[in-house]
């Protein structure tokens, strides 16, 4: 039965990897969800299970254009997130980061509602401070192949804080570190999905560079918990706030773990390191512990096992995008 007293949450990028999990969680928590997506990297498959719900609605729309709807809160996630995808049309990546943010902030201003921004650890660039704390202002190349994303997301943060200062908007800004889990796009080239698919198919595992660069991997359910706690925190803490798992692994260690968990026969092979690839990345999450009482609970191996189950099924179905 339709409950007219449910709050409505707008999720831009709701058909993407993180967005689809957030749709699930908010519907479960008693919201109605309006999912806005132009399907640039998202997929209707990710939200197919929600289409029968009375509390779920989708709208195909590109947020670089204005959007007039009535909602109670906004989650702004729309933006391609993997290097392959955000570099495919870099001007569009900058546009969605900046013009998309302006439109969603304009919408929040008109409605007087709270707005959440999915920012990123990429605002720190190739960091000289390790682990990364929120007060670190970053080491970002403004003209490299990653700049469309890094600088786009940095400017979006600027806009969020200027709307807060100028228009007293209630904002939340999360800096998300590498997140993984079921519904990751099989062809977006991210390290966890690449390695799992390669391992399951007993194909060579592609280490870029010497594989000694590090990343910290957060399981999707932990991240979504962090989103909810940040959005709803009682003290009105607005961020920016690091959300990620502080466990740090080399890319080589990740490959070896995945080979072991999948009983794969794959060898590790070396490929050139992409330009401006950060050498190390690990969130300092002291502020998240203090301000919203959050820390991730799911260790890497446990999260990888759940993700492997998802990709096993995709590979078994002969998913075209898995080659
Ligand atoms: P994703 O590519 O799976 O999802 C992004 C979604 O945005 C897709 O559904 C895509 O179709 C949609 N989209 C893109 N451009 C749009 C536009 N102009 N209008 C409407 N929709 C549009 O990526 P994800 O991993 O789910 O990332 C979601 C958000 O989280 C992004 O903003 C990303 O920058 C941020 N983030 C993700 C990670 C991560 O590890 N996954 C890390 C840091 C930040
Ligand atoms: N906007 C929107 N939906 C709304 C209100 C505004 O998409 O409900 C867009 C509008 O196109 C505008 C942008 O948000 O360009 C910024 O709005 P704001 O009110 O901050 O700025 P202004 O309209 O004064 O330029
Ligand atoms: N990487 C790799 N092999 C792959 C894909 C990625 O060695 O097949 C490396 C990549 O160079 C980077 C790390 O894994 O150092 C994480 O890459 P990803 O694209 O997942 O995310 P990001 O670089 O944005 O953190």
């Amino acid at each position: 039965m339709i409950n007219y007293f449910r709050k409505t949450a707008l999720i831009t990028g709701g058909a993407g990897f993180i967005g689809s999990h957030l749709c699930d969680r908010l519907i479960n928590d008693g919201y109605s969800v309006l999912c806005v997506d132009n399907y640039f990297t998202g997929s209707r498959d990710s939200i197919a299970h929600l289409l029968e719900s009375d509390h779920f609605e989708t709208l195909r729309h590109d947020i670089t254009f204005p959007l007039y709807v009535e909602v109670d809160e906004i989650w702004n996630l729309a933006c391609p997130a993997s290097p392959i995808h955000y570099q495919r049309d870099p001007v569009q990546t900058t546009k969605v980061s900046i013009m998309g943010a302006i439109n969603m902030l304009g919408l929040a201003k008109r409605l007087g509602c709270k707005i959440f921004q999915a920012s990123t650890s990429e605002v720190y660039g190739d960091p000289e401070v390790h682990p990364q704390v929120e007060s670190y202002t970053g080491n970002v190349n403004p003209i490299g192949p990653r700049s469309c994303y890094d600088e786009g997301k940095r400017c979006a943060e600027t806009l969020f804080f200027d709307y807060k200062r100028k228009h007293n908007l209630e904002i939340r800004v999360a800096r998300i570190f590498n997140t993984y889990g079921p519904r990751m796009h099989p062809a977006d080239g991210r390290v966890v999905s690449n390695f799992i698919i390669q391992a399951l198919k007993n194909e060579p595992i592609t280490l870029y560079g010497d594989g000694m660069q590090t990343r910290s991997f957060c399981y999707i359910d932990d991240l979504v918990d962090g989103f909810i706690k940040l959005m709803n925190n009682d003290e009105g803490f607005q961020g920016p706030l690091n959300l990620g798992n502080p466990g740090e692994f080399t890319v080589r260690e990740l490959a070896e773990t995945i080979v072991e968990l999948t009983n794969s026969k794959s060898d590790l092979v070396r490929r050139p390191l992409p330009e401006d690839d950060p050498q190390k990345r690990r969130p300092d999450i002291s502020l998240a512990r203090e301000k919203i009482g959050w820390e991730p609970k799911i260790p890497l191996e446990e999260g990888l096992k759940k993700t492997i189950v998802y990709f096993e099924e995709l590979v078994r179905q002969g998913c075209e995008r898995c080659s």
Side-chain angles (χ1 to χ4, degrees), residues 186-218:
D188 73 4
R190 279 189 269 198
V191 68
V192 173
S193 43
N194 264 14
F195 286 2
I196 292 179
I197 292 169
Q198 290 163 346
L200 289 173
K201 297 173 90 180
N202 292 310
E203 288 171 359
I205 307 247
T206 51
L207 286 187
Y208 298 164
D210 59 6
M212 296 311 286
Q213 67 273 36
T214 68
R215 292 292 187 275
S216 304
F217 301 100
C218 185

PDB file of all heavy atoms in Angstrom, residues 186-218:
ATOM      1  N   PRO A 186      31.029  -4.600 -14.958  1.00  0.00           N
ATOM      2  CA  PRO A 186      32.090  -5.567 -15.288  1.00  0.00           C
ATOM      3  C   PRO A 186      33.138  -5.033 -16.265  1.00  0.00           C
ATOM      4  O   PRO A 186      34.226  -5.596 -16.348  1.00  0.00           O
ATOM      5  CB  PRO A 186      31.328  -6.743 -15.908  1.00  0.00           C
ATOM      6  CG  PRO A 186      30.002  -6.206 -16.293  1.00  0.00           C
ATOM      7  CD  PRO A 186      29.700  -5.047 -15.394  1.00  0.00           C
ATOM      8  N   ALA A 187      32.808  -3.971 -16.986  1.00  0.00           N
ATOM      9  CA  ALA A 187      33.778  -3.485 -17.982  1.00  0.00           C
ATOM     10  C   ALA A 187      34.289  -2.090 -17.669  1.00  0.00           C
ATOM     11  O   ALA A 187      34.732  -1.387 -18.563  1.00  0.00           O
ATOM     12  CB  ALA A 187      33.143  -3.511 -19.369  1.00  0.00           C
ATOM     13  N   ASP A 188      34.224  -1.685 -16.419  1.00  0.00           N
ATOM     14  CA  ASP A 188      34.671  -0.313 -16.154  1.00  0.00           C
ATOM     15  C   ASP A 188      36.151  -0.248 -15.812  1.00  0.00           C
ATOM     16  O   ASP A 188      36.682   0.812 -15.517  1.00  0.00           O
ATOM     17  CB  ASP A 188      33.785   0.403 -15.124  1.00  0.00           C
ATOM     18  CG  ASP A 188      33.975  -0.093 -13.711  1.00  0.00           C
ATOM     19  OD1 ASP A 188      34.842  -0.949 -13.490  1.00  0.00           O
ATOM     20  OD2 ASP A 188      33.245   0.384 -12.830  1.00  0.00           O
ATOM     21  N   GLY A 189      36.817  -1.404 -15.846  1.00  0.00           N
ATOM     22  CA  GLY A 189      38.280  -1.405 -15.737  1.00  0.00           C
ATOM     23  C   GLY A 189      38.799  -1.209 -14.333  1.00  0.00           C
ATOM     24  O   GLY A 189      40.010  -1.076 -14.133  1.00  0.00           O
ATOM     25  N   ARG A 190      37.911  -1.180 -13.340  1.00  0.00           N
ATOM     26  CA  ARG A 190      38.425  -0.997 -11.983  1.00  0.00           C
ATOM     27  C   ARG A 190      39.107  -2.274 -11.514  1.00  0.00           C
ATOM     28  O   ARG A 190      38.803  -3.378 -11.964  1.00  0.00           O
ATOM     29  CB  ARG A 190      37.305  -0.578 -11.026  1.00  0.00           C
ATOM     30  CG  ARG A 190      37.044   0.924 -11.175  1.00  0.00           C
ATOM     31  CD  ARG A 190      36.115   1.459 -10.143  1.00  0.00           C
ATOM     32  NE  ARG A 190      34.754   1.404 -10.610  1.00  0.00           N
ATOM     33  CZ  ARG A 190      33.759   2.112 -10.072  1.00  0.00           C
ATOM     34  NH1 ARG A 190      33.995   2.916  -9.063  1.00  0.00           N
ATOM     35  NH2 ARG A 190      32.547   2.020 -10.539  1.00  0.00           N
ATOM     36  N   VAL A 191      40.011  -2.072 -10.572  1.00  0.00           N
ATOM     37  CA  VAL A 191      40.924  -3.162 -10.264  1.00  0.00           C
ATOM     38  C   VAL A 191      40.210  -4.392  -9.696  1.00  0.00           C
ATOM     39  O   VAL A 191      40.517  -5.524 -10.070  1.00  0.00           O
ATOM     40  CB  VAL A 191      42.079  -2.653  -9.359  1.00  0.00           C
ATOM     41  CG1 VAL A 191      41.588  -2.270  -7.964  1.00  0.00           C
ATOM     42  CG2 VAL A 191      43.183  -3.663  -9.273  1.00  0.00           C
ATOM     43  N   VAL A 192      39.236  -4.197  -8.808  1.00  0.00           N
ATOM     44  CA  VAL A 192      38.601  -5.358  -8.172  1.00  0.00           C
ATOM     45  C   VAL A 192      37.819  -6.168  -9.204  1.00  0.00           C
ATOM     46  O   VAL A 192      37.974  -7.397  -9.310  1.00  0.00           O
ATOM     47  CB  VAL A 192      37.693  -4.921  -6.997  1.00  0.00           C
ATOM     48  CG1 VAL A 192      36.909  -6.106  -6.461  1.00  0.00           C
ATOM     49  CG2 VAL A 192      38.524  -4.287  -5.879  1.00  0.00           C
ATOM     50  N   SER A 193      37.014  -5.486 -10.026  1.00  0.00           N
ATOM     51  CA  SER A 193      36.222  -6.221 -11.026  1.00  0.00           C
ATOM     52  C   SER A 193      37.128  -6.836 -12.085  1.00  0.00           C
ATOM     53  O   SER A 193      36.941  -7.992 -12.480  1.00  0.00           O
ATOM     54  CB  SER A 193      35.162  -5.306 -11.649  1.00  0.00           C
ATOM     55  OG  SER A 193      35.699  -4.032 -11.930  1.00  0.00           O
ATOM     56  N   ASN A 194      38.130  -6.084 -12.561  1.00  0.00           N
ATOM     57  CA  ASN A 194      39.064  -6.655 -13.550  1.00  0.00           C
ATOM     58  C   ASN A 194      39.698  -7.943 -13.035  1.00  0.00           C
ATOM     59  O   ASN A 194      39.678  -8.971 -13.709  1.00  0.00           O
ATOM     60  CB  ASN A 194      40.216  -5.672 -13.819  1.00  0.00           C
ATOM     61  CG  ASN A 194      39.952  -4.818 -15.052  1.00  0.00           C
ATOM     62  OD1 ASN A 194      38.833  -4.766 -15.546  1.00  0.00           O
ATOM     63  ND2 ASN A 194      40.976  -4.145 -15.533  1.00  0.00           N
ATOM     64  N   PHE A 195      40.252  -7.877 -11.824  1.00  0.00           N
ATOM     65  CA  PHE A 195      40.994  -9.030 -11.303  1.00  0.00           C
ATOM     66  C   PHE A 195      40.065 -10.231 -11.072  1.00  0.00           C
ATOM     67  O   PHE A 195      40.424 -11.368 -11.369  1.00  0.00           O
ATOM     68  CB  PHE A 195      41.721  -8.679  -9.999  1.00  0.00           C
ATOM     69  CG  PHE A 195      42.948  -7.808 -10.187  1.00  0.00           C
ATOM     70  CD1 PHE A 195      43.331  -7.354 -11.435  1.00  0.00           C
ATOM     71  CD2 PHE A 195      43.739  -7.457  -9.083  1.00  0.00           C
ATOM     72  CE1 PHE A 195      44.470  -6.554 -11.601  1.00  0.00           C
ATOM     73  CE2 PHE A 195      44.872  -6.672  -9.238  1.00  0.00           C
ATOM     74  CZ  PHE A 195      45.239  -6.214 -10.493  1.00  0.00           C
ATOM     75  N   ILE A 196      38.881  -9.972 -10.546  1.00  0.00           N
ATOM     76  CA  ILE A 196      37.969 -11.104 -10.280  1.00  0.00           C
ATOM     77  C   ILE A 196      37.567 -11.764 -11.594  1.00  0.00           C
ATOM     78  O   ILE A 196      37.606 -13.000 -11.717  1.00  0.00           O
ATOM     79  CB  ILE A 196      36.731 -10.650  -9.477  1.00  0.00           C
ATOM     80  CG1 ILE A 196      37.135 -10.253  -8.056  1.00  0.00           C
ATOM     81  CG2 ILE A 196      35.673 -11.762  -9.437  1.00  0.00           C
ATOM     82  CD1 ILE A 196      35.992  -9.764  -7.179  1.00  0.00           C
ATOM     83  N   ILE A 197      37.214 -10.975 -12.592  1.00  0.00           N
ATOM     84  CA  ILE A 197      36.778 -11.571 -13.875  1.00  0.00           C
ATOM     85  C   ILE A 197      37.938 -12.325 -14.521  1.00  0.00           C
ATOM     86  O   ILE A 197      37.784 -13.454 -14.994  1.00  0.00           O
ATOM     87  CB  ILE A 197      36.195 -10.482 -14.803  1.00  0.00           C
ATOM     88  CG1 ILE A 197      34.887  -9.948 -14.231  1.00  0.00           C
ATOM     89  CG2 ILE A 197      35.970 -11.042 -16.211  1.00  0.00           C
ATOM     90  CD1 ILE A 197      34.361  -8.700 -14.909  1.00  0.00           C
ATOM     91  N   GLN A 198      39.132 -11.700 -14.492  1.00  0.00           N
ATOM     92  CA  GLN A 198      40.304 -12.380 -15.075  1.00  0.00           C
ATOM     93  C   GLN A 198      40.577 -13.699 -14.343  1.00  0.00           C
ATOM     94  O   GLN A 198      40.838 -14.731 -14.971  1.00  0.00           O
ATOM     95  CB  GLN A 198      41.528 -11.451 -15.000  1.00  0.00           C
ATOM     96  CG  GLN A 198      41.436 -10.266 -15.951  1.00  0.00           C
ATOM     97  CD  GLN A 198      42.411  -9.141 -15.611  1.00  0.00           C
ATOM     98  OE1 GLN A 198      43.006  -9.087 -14.534  1.00  0.00           O
ATOM     99  NE2 GLN A 198      42.578  -8.204 -16.548  1.00  0.00           N
ATOM    100  N   ALA A 199      40.499 -13.665 -13.010  1.00  0.00           N
ATOM    101  CA  ALA A 199      40.786 -14.876 -12.234  1.00  0.00           C
ATOM    102  C   ALA A 199      39.755 -15.963 -12.522  1.00  0.00           C
ATOM    103  O   ALA A 199      40.098 -17.129 -12.709  1.00  0.00           O
ATOM    104  CB  ALA A 199      40.809 -14.539 -10.742  1.00  0.00           C
ATOM    105  N   LEU A 200      38.473 -15.570 -12.583  1.00  0.00           N
ATOM    106  CA  LEU A 200      37.420 -16.569 -12.825  1.00  0.00           C
ATOM    107  C   LEU A 200      37.563 -17.205 -14.205  1.00  0.00           C
ATOM    108  O   LEU A 200      37.210 -18.361 -14.406  1.00  0.00           O
ATOM    109  CB  LEU A 200      36.036 -15.918 -12.695  1.00  0.00           C
ATOM    110  CG  LEU A 200      35.613 -15.540 -11.268  1.00  0.00           C
ATOM    111  CD1 LEU A 200      34.303 -14.760 -11.289  1.00  0.00           C
ATOM    112  CD2 LEU A 200      35.475 -16.780 -10.382  1.00  0.00           C
ATOM    113  N   LYS A 201      38.106 -16.427 -15.153  1.00  0.00           N
ATOM    114  CA  LYS A 201      38.262 -16.967 -16.515  1.00  0.00           C
ATOM    115  C   LYS A 201      39.663 -17.556 -16.741  1.00  0.00           C
ATOM    116  O   LYS A 201      40.001 -17.895 -17.877  1.00  0.00           O
ATOM    117  CB  LYS A 201      37.972 -15.858 -17.524  1.00  0.00           C
ATOM    118  CG  LYS A 201      36.519 -15.356 -17.416  1.00  0.00           C
ATOM    119  CD  LYS A 201      36.262 -14.170 -18.283  1.00  0.00           C
ATOM    120  CE  LYS A 201      35.789 -14.605 -19.638  1.00  0.00           C
ATOM    121  NZ  LYS A 201      35.523 -13.445 -20.521  1.00  0.00           N
ATOM    122  N   ASN A 202      40.443 -17.644 -15.660  1.00  0.00           N
ATOM    123  CA  ASN A 202      41.823 -18.151 -15.739  1.00  0.00           C
ATOM    124  C   ASN A 202      42.648 -17.408 -16.792  1.00  0.00           C
ATOM    125  O   ASN A 202      43.495 -17.981 -17.460  1.00  0.00           O
ATOM    126  CB  ASN A 202      41.839 -19.662 -16.027  1.00  0.00           C
ATOM    127  CG  ASN A 202      41.284 -20.446 -14.843  1.00  0.00           C
ATOM    128  OD1 ASN A 202      41.709 -20.230 -13.701  1.00  0.00           O
ATOM    129  ND2 ASN A 202      40.322 -21.301 -15.106  1.00  0.00           N
ATOM    130  N   GLU A 203      42.363 -16.116 -16.913  1.00  0.00           N
ATOM    131  CA  GLU A 203      43.130 -15.278 -17.844  1.00  0.00           C
ATOM    132  C   GLU A 203      44.198 -14.512 -17.059  1.00  0.00           C
ATOM    133  O   GLU A 203      44.094 -14.380 -15.836  1.00  0.00           O
ATOM    134  CB  GLU A 203      42.190 -14.285 -18.527  1.00  0.00           C
ATOM    135  CG  GLU A 203      41.285 -14.959 -19.545  1.00  0.00           C
ATOM    136  CD  GLU A 203      40.192 -14.041 -20.068  1.00  0.00           C
ATOM    137  OE1 GLU A 203      40.112 -12.875 -19.623  1.00  0.00           O
ATOM    138  OE2 GLU A 203      39.415 -14.511 -20.914  1.00  0.00           O
ATOM    139  N   PRO A 204      45.234 -13.984 -17.748  1.00  0.00           N
ATOM    140  CA  PRO A 204      46.275 -13.262 -17.021  1.00  0.00           C
ATOM    141  C   PRO A 204      45.704 -12.078 -16.229  1.00  0.00           C
ATOM    142  O   PRO A 204      44.812 -11.378 -16.703  1.00  0.00           O
ATOM    143  CB  PRO A 204      47.197 -12.756 -18.143  1.00  0.00           C
ATOM    144  CG  PRO A 204      46.907 -13.626 -19.311  1.00  0.00           C
ATOM    145  CD  PRO A 204      45.490 -14.066 -19.193  1.00  0.00           C
ATOM    146  N   ILE A 205      46.238 -11.898 -15.034  1.00  0.00           N
ATOM    147  CA  ILE A 205      45.813 -10.778 -14.179  1.00  0.00           C
ATOM    148  C   ILE A 205      46.736  -9.599 -14.485  1.00  0.00           C
ATOM    149  O   ILE A 205      47.960  -9.698 -14.355  1.00  0.00           O
ATOM    150  CB  ILE A 205      45.956 -11.148 -12.690  1.00  0.00           C
ATOM    151  CG1 ILE A 205      45.216 -12.453 -12.424  1.00  0.00           C
ATOM    152  CG2 ILE A 205      45.555 -10.001 -11.789  1.00  0.00           C
ATOM    153  CD1 ILE A 205      44.026 -12.396 -11.575  1.00  0.00           C
ATOM    154  N   THR A 206      46.132  -8.476 -14.887  1.00  0.00           N
ATOM    155  CA  THR A 206      46.909  -7.342 -15.403  1.00  0.00           C
ATOM    156  C   THR A 206      47.322  -6.385 -14.286  1.00  0.00           C
ATOM    157  O   THR A 206      46.533  -5.563 -13.834  1.00  0.00           O
ATOM    158  CB  THR A 206      46.065  -6.584 -16.450  1.00  0.00           C
ATOM    159  OG1 THR A 206      44.770  -6.291 -15.867  1.00  0.00           O
ATOM    160  CG2 THR A 206      45.870  -7.424 -17.705  1.00  0.00           C
ATOM    161  N   LEU A 207      48.589  -6.491 -13.871  1.00  0.00           N
ATOM    162  CA  LEU A 207      49.123  -5.550 -12.868  1.00  0.00           C
ATOM    163  C   LEU A 207      49.659  -4.339 -13.609  1.00  0.00           C
ATOM    164  O   LEU A 207      50.554  -4.481 -14.443  1.00  0.00           O
ATOM    165  CB  LEU A 207      50.319  -6.162 -12.139  1.00  0.00           C
ATOM    166  CG  LEU A 207      50.135  -7.252 -11.116  1.00  0.00           C
ATOM    167  CD1 LEU A 207      51.480  -7.526 -10.444  1.00  0.00           C
ATOM    168  CD2 LEU A 207      49.114  -6.827 -10.066  1.00  0.00           C
ATOM    169  N   TYR A 208      49.148  -3.163 -13.301  1.00  0.00           N
ATOM    170  CA  TYR A 208      49.680  -1.950 -13.935  1.00  0.00           C
ATOM    171  C   TYR A 208      50.904  -1.501 -13.135  1.00  0.00           C
ATOM    172  O   TYR A 208      50.837  -1.363 -11.909  1.00  0.00           O
ATOM    173  CB  TYR A 208      48.633  -0.849 -13.977  1.00  0.00           C
ATOM    174  CG  TYR A 208      47.389  -1.198 -14.789  1.00  0.00           C
ATOM    175  CD1 TYR A 208      46.216  -0.451 -14.664  1.00  0.00           C
ATOM    176  CD2 TYR A 208      47.389  -2.267 -15.693  1.00  0.00           C
ATOM    177  CE1 TYR A 208      45.081  -0.764 -15.399  1.00  0.00           C
ATOM    178  CE2 TYR A 208      46.253  -2.580 -16.436  1.00  0.00           C
ATOM    179  CZ  TYR A 208      45.105  -1.834 -16.282  1.00  0.00           C
ATOM    180  OH  TYR A 208      43.976  -2.136 -17.006  1.00  0.00           O
ATOM    181  N   GLY A 209      52.017  -1.272 -13.855  1.00  0.00           N
ATOM    182  CA  GLY A 209      53.267  -0.926 -13.171  1.00  0.00           C
ATOM    183  C   GLY A 209      53.784  -2.158 -12.447  1.00  0.00           C
ATOM    184  O   GLY A 209      53.577  -3.298 -12.878  1.00  0.00           O
ATOM    185  N   ASP A 210      54.436  -1.943 -11.294  1.00  0.00           N
ATOM    186  CA  ASP A 210      54.975  -3.094 -10.560  1.00  0.00           C
ATOM    187  C   ASP A 210      53.964  -3.662  -9.563  1.00  0.00           C
ATOM    188  O   ASP A 210      54.265  -4.614  -8.839  1.00  0.00           O
ATOM    189  CB  ASP A 210      56.286  -2.705  -9.844  1.00  0.00           C
ATOM    190  CG  ASP A 210      56.078  -1.559  -8.866  1.00  0.00           C
ATOM    191  OD1 ASP A 210      54.918  -1.143  -8.648  1.00  0.00           O
ATOM    192  OD2 ASP A 210      57.083  -1.060  -8.310  1.00  0.00           O
ATOM    193  N   GLY A 211      52.784  -3.042  -9.502  1.00  0.00           N
ATOM    194  CA  GLY A 211      51.743  -3.545  -8.603  1.00  0.00           C
ATOM    195  C   GLY A 211      52.012  -3.194  -7.141  1.00  0.00           C
ATOM    196  O   GLY A 211      51.337  -3.689  -6.246  1.00  0.00           O
ATOM    197  N   MET A 212      52.990  -2.314  -6.913  1.00  0.00           N
ATOM    198  CA  MET A 212      53.309  -1.956  -5.525  1.00  0.00           C
ATOM    199  C   MET A 212      52.545  -0.707  -5.065  1.00  0.00           C
ATOM    200  O   MET A 212      52.654  -0.303  -3.906  1.00  0.00           O
ATOM    201  CB  MET A 212      54.827  -1.737  -5.347  1.00  0.00           C
ATOM    202  CG  MET A 212      55.640  -3.003  -5.596  1.00  0.00           C
ATOM    203  SD  MET A 212      54.985  -4.445  -4.700  1.00  0.00           S
ATOM    204  CE  MET A 212      55.519  -4.009  -3.052  1.00  0.00           C
ATOM    205  N   GLN A 213      51.779  -0.084  -5.967  1.00  0.00           N
ATOM    206  CA  GLN A 213      50.919   1.038  -5.544  1.00  0.00           C
ATOM    207  C   GLN A 213      49.836   0.484  -4.616  1.00  0.00           C
ATOM    208  O   GLN A 213      49.453  -0.684  -4.745  1.00  0.00           O
ATOM    209  CB  GLN A 213      50.309   1.777  -6.753  1.00  0.00           C
ATOM    210  CG  GLN A 213      49.300   1.022  -7.583  1.00  0.00           C
ATOM    211  CD  GLN A 213      49.932   0.176  -8.683  1.00  0.00           C
ATOM    212  OE1 GLN A 213      50.998  -0.394  -8.504  1.00  0.00           O
ATOM    213  NE2 GLN A 213      49.250   0.085  -9.816  1.00  0.00           N
ATOM    214  N   THR A 214      49.380   1.304  -3.695  1.00  0.00           N
ATOM    215  CA  THR A 214      48.399   0.805  -2.715  1.00  0.00           C
ATOM    216  C   THR A 214      47.035   1.464  -2.887  1.00  0.00           C
ATOM    217  O   THR A 214      46.928   2.580  -3.389  1.00  0.00           O
ATOM    218  CB  THR A 214      48.869   1.054  -1.259  1.00  0.00           C
ATOM    219  OG1 THR A 214      48.845   2.464  -1.010  1.00  0.00           O
ATOM    220  CG2 THR A 214      50.241   0.482  -1.003  1.00  0.00           C
ATOM    221  N   ARG A 215      46.037   0.720  -2.444  1.00  0.00           N
ATOM    222  CA  ARG A 215      44.679   1.244  -2.346  1.00  0.00           C
ATOM    223  C   ARG A 215      44.055   0.632  -1.099  1.00  0.00           C
ATOM    224  O   ARG A 215      44.503  -0.399  -0.584  1.00  0.00           O
ATOM    225  CB  ARG A 215      43.819   0.848  -3.555  1.00  0.00           C
ATOM    226  CG  ARG A 215      44.221   1.492  -4.882  1.00  0.00           C
ATOM    227  CD  ARG A 215      43.979   2.989  -4.905  1.00  0.00           C
ATOM    228  NE  ARG A 215      44.205   3.567  -6.235  1.00  0.00           N
ATOM    229  CZ  ARG A 215      45.405   3.949  -6.686  1.00  0.00           C
ATOM    230  NH1 ARG A 215      46.481   3.816  -5.947  1.00  0.00           N
ATOM    231  NH2 ARG A 215      45.509   4.495  -7.891  1.00  0.00           N
ATOM    232  N   SER A 216      42.948   1.240  -0.653  1.00  0.00           N
ATOM    233  CA  SER A 216      42.213   0.771   0.528  1.00  0.00           C
ATOM    234  C   SER A 216      40.788   0.518   0.068  1.00  0.00           C
ATOM    235  O   SER A 216      40.162   1.424  -0.473  1.00  0.00           O
ATOM    236  CB  SER A 216      42.246   1.850   1.598  1.00  0.00           C
ATOM    237  OG  SER A 216      43.588   2.170   1.883  1.00  0.00           O
ATOM    238  N   PHE A 217      40.314  -0.700   0.254  1.00  0.00           N
ATOM    239  CA  PHE A 217      39.055  -1.102  -0.390  1.00  0.00           C
ATOM    240  C   PHE A 217      37.934  -1.253   0.624  1.00  0.00           C
ATOM    241  O   PHE A 217      38.041  -2.010   1.583  1.00  0.00           O
ATOM    242  CB  PHE A 217      39.262  -2.428  -1.129  1.00  0.00           C
ATOM    243  CG  PHE A 217      40.335  -2.346  -2.178  1.00  0.00           C
ATOM    244  CD1 PHE A 217      41.612  -2.828  -1.926  1.00  0.00           C
ATOM    245  CD2 PHE A 217      40.075  -1.753  -3.408  1.00  0.00           C
ATOM    246  CE1 PHE A 217      42.611  -2.746  -2.882  1.00  0.00           C
ATOM    247  CE2 PHE A 217      41.072  -1.662  -4.375  1.00  0.00           C
ATOM    248  CZ  PHE A 217      42.341  -2.163  -4.109  1.00  0.00           C
ATOM    249  N   CYS A 218      36.838  -0.541   0.374  1.00  0.00           N
ATOM    250  CA  CYS A 218      35.692  -0.546   1.285  1.00  0.00           C
ATOM    251  C   CYS A 218      34.548  -1.327   0.655  1.00  0.00           C
ATOM    252  O   CYS A 218      34.210  -1.113  -0.524  1.00  0.00           O
ATOM    253  CB  CYS A 218      35.269   0.900   1.530  1.00  0.00           C
ATOM    254  SG  CYS A 218      33.952   1.085   2.736  1.00  0.00           S
TER     255      CYS A 218
END
